[in-house]
Amino acid sequence: MIRKIIQIDEEKCNGCGACAAACHEGAIGMVDGKAKLLRDDYCDGLGDCLPACPTGAITFIEREAAEYNEQAVLAAKAAKNTGTTHHTGCPGQQLHRFQRASGTAASPATSPETSAPDSAAAAAPYISQMTSQLGQWPCQIKLVPVNAPYFQGAKLLIAADCTAFAYANLHNDFMKGKITLIGCPKLDSVDYSEKLTEIIKNNDIQSVTVVRMEVPCCGGLENAAKKALQDSGKFIPWQVVTISVDGKILD
């Protein structure tokens, strides 16, 4: 049937994900950093996504399209609520914002010197109940959209990915209350400064904390953050914290 349906201009799309969040039917998803109309029959043609788009990448057209299927939409929503939704595209680039409780972690049930049993069931009491302080998804610098809604008013943590393994309490000491971006300039073989500049320039960032390892290659992350702050033209409080390879704060 010929009907009114949205069209997304990929050239104008900046990958912010606002339209996907505004689409209550789940017709829009993020694929390779761009918004995509995933299913014609999920689009009701009402255009809740249009005002959410900051670049004007979404318009209405009339074309041959499957009829809006409300029952399929309701079924997909029900499946999502039970955690059984199959997501089209890369799940790693689907935007999430997490609201964390202010409480602290519970203590492990046993002392670390106790030998852990072999069976998974018997090992359950040994698992720490530490609460994650990750504020959003994705968290990789390469994957995060530069205009993601969670950047507005954010305190930004830019961390080398090894720091979470070297420093045991990274979540509570550094990630809590912040939006976290992680990366490794050596493994990614990329200069993050251009993308970090866009994030800082185009959003209301309140502060920047860089947590890096003491190894020389981590200097690339620190330098990228410093260059981004300079190139953004903004005066924002910032600090650099260095972690030793054995998990101590050096400065």
Side-chain angles (χ1 to χ4, degrees):
M1 64 180 295
I2 303 294
R3 72 179 182 93
K4 185 168 68 173
I5 196 167
I6 66 161
Q7 176 174 266
I8 302 172
D9 186 339
E10 289 191 17
E11 294 299 319
K12 292 183 178 179
C13 177
N14 63 10
C16 72
C19 59
C23 179
H24 305 298
E25 289 72 30
I28 303 175
M30 304 304 295
V31 180
D32 296 330
K34 296 287 185 176
K36 300 279 189 182
L37 178 59
L38 303 179
R39 289 184 56 158
D40 287 1
D41 61 337
Y42 278 20
C43 178
D44 60 9
L46 297 179
D48 288 345
C49 53
L50 268 71
C53 180
T55 64
I58 304 176
T59 56
F60 274 127
I61 61 169
E62 288 196 0
R63 65 169 173 83
E64 182 72 32
E67 184 178 1
Y68 173 59
N69 189 338
E70 184 177 10
Q71 293 304 313
V73 170
L74 292 175
K77 287 182 178 180
K80 183 176 181 179
N81 289 336
T82 59
T84 59
T85 302
H86 174 71
H87 297 289
T88 304
C90 176
Q93 290 181 267
Q94 185 177 17
L95 293 182
H96 297 274
R97 182 72 169 97
F98 310 126
Q99 299 300 324
R100 299 295 185 185
S102 58
T104 56
S107 300
T110 61
S111 66
E113 289 79 16
T114 307
S115 298
D118 294 332
S119 72
Y126 296 83
I127 300 174
S128 170
Q129 297 301 307
M130 291 284 289
T131 300
S132 171
Q133 296 299 328
L134 183 64
Q136 90 295 339
W137 187 268
C139 57
Q140 284 281 349
I141 298 174
K142 289 180 68 176
L143 297 181
V144 67
V146 296
N147 285 324
Y150 43 69
F151 282 131
Q152 290 302 323
K155 296 178 179 178
L156 194 63
L157 172 67
I158 303 171
D161 48 16
C162 290
T163 57
F165 298 93
Y167 188 74
N169 208 29
L170 187 80
H171 280 250
N172 285 326
D173 288 355
F174 293 104
M175 292 172 60
K176 191 172 184 178
K178 296 183 177 68
I179 293 299
T180 300
L181 298 181
I182 65 172
C184 175
K186 184 173 184 178
L187 295 182
D188 286 344
S189 300
V190 66
D191 179 3
Y192 298 124
S193 61
E194 183 176 344
K195 188 165 191 179
L196 292 175
T197 298
E198 291 302 306
I199 290 172
I200 296 171
K201 181 185 295 184
N202 296 326
N203 299 282
D204 181 24
I205 303 299
Q206 299 296 301
S207 66
V208 175
T209 300
V210 179
V211 180
R212 54 162 292 183
M213 298 298 298
E214 64 175 326
V215 294
C217 57
C218 254
L221 186 68
E222 178 180 346
N223 292 335
K226 288 181 178 178
K227 187 174 189 302
L229 285 162
Q230 293 170 351
D231 293 348
S232 72
K234 293 184 176 181
F235 295 95
I236 298 173
W238 66 282
Q239 63 172 328
V240 178
V241 179
T242 303
I243 307 296
S244 69
V245 293
D246 62 346
K248 298 181 178 67
I249 295 178
L250 297 180
D251 53 29

